[in-house]
Amino acid sequence: MVEDDLLVAQATTACLEGMGGEVKCFCRAEDALLYANCTDYYIVDYMLGGTFNGIQFLNLLRQKSDKPINAVLVTGDTSSNFIREAADFDWPVQYKPVDMSELLASLRAQEGRLTDCVEQI
């Protein structure tokens, strides 16, 4: 998870760990890039402190990774401009406060993409 709001990061991490997940949390995208090939799923805040926003991070991650990037972008930005922009993102967007069942469903839906890629090889 890449989230610079400590309370959101702690709450989401606790919830995911409570369901049996193993979570690594980073406040900055630059630090999370070091784990490009070690993660199954990414939950990434759009507005991050540091050099990159969430979509820039995911695009960089895709360039560095040797496997498909399964991710959900989360944001509190519900402006019409952002919603139009988000329609072109390669990853689903969840708006804060995030519904955990919808977040998990978005991540699970991407497992099919990974299976489709493997079947094509």
Side-chain angles (χ1 to χ4, degrees):
M1 175 185 324
V2 185
E3 173 62 69
D4 60 350
D5 183 319
L6 183 60
L7 292 177
V8 171
Q10 288 174 336
T12 306
T13 297
C15 186
L16 292 170
E17 288 177 344
M19 290 186 269
E22 182 180 328
V23 181
K24 290 194 184 301
C25 193
F26 301 91
C27 294
R28 296 172 5 107
E30 295 84 353
D31 298 330
L33 282 171
L34 300 173
Y35 290 86
N37 288 314
C38 303
T39 304
D40 296 322
Y41 302 100
Y42 293 87
I43 300 168
V44 182
D45 188 17
Y46 180 73
M47 299 271 213
L48 296 168
T51 307
F52 307 112
N53 67 33
I55 201 67
Q56 291 167 328
F57 165 75
L58 290 171
N59 287 330
L60 279 169
L61 193 61
R62 181 185 315 168
Q63 292 172 6
K64 290 183 65 158
S65 183
D66 58 0
K67 63 181 184 176
I69 302 301
N70 297 313
V72 172
L73 195 69
V74 296
T75 185
D77 187 349
T78 58
S79 69
S80 56
N81 286 339
F82 179 82
I83 292 170
R84 277 193 299 278
E85 182 183 341
D88 294 329
F89 293 164
D90 292 332
W91 294 278
V93 176
Q94 296 280 321
Y95 295 93
K96 294 179 181 178
V98 173
D99 179 286
M100 192 56 67
S101 62
E102 288 180 21
L103 177 72
L104 294 174
S106 291
L107 290 170
R108 282 190 201 108
Q110 294 177 58
E111 290 174 358
R113 280 192 339 196
L114 182 58
T115 303
D116 292 344
C117 292
V118 171
E119 289 174 0
Q120 292 174 5
I121 294 176

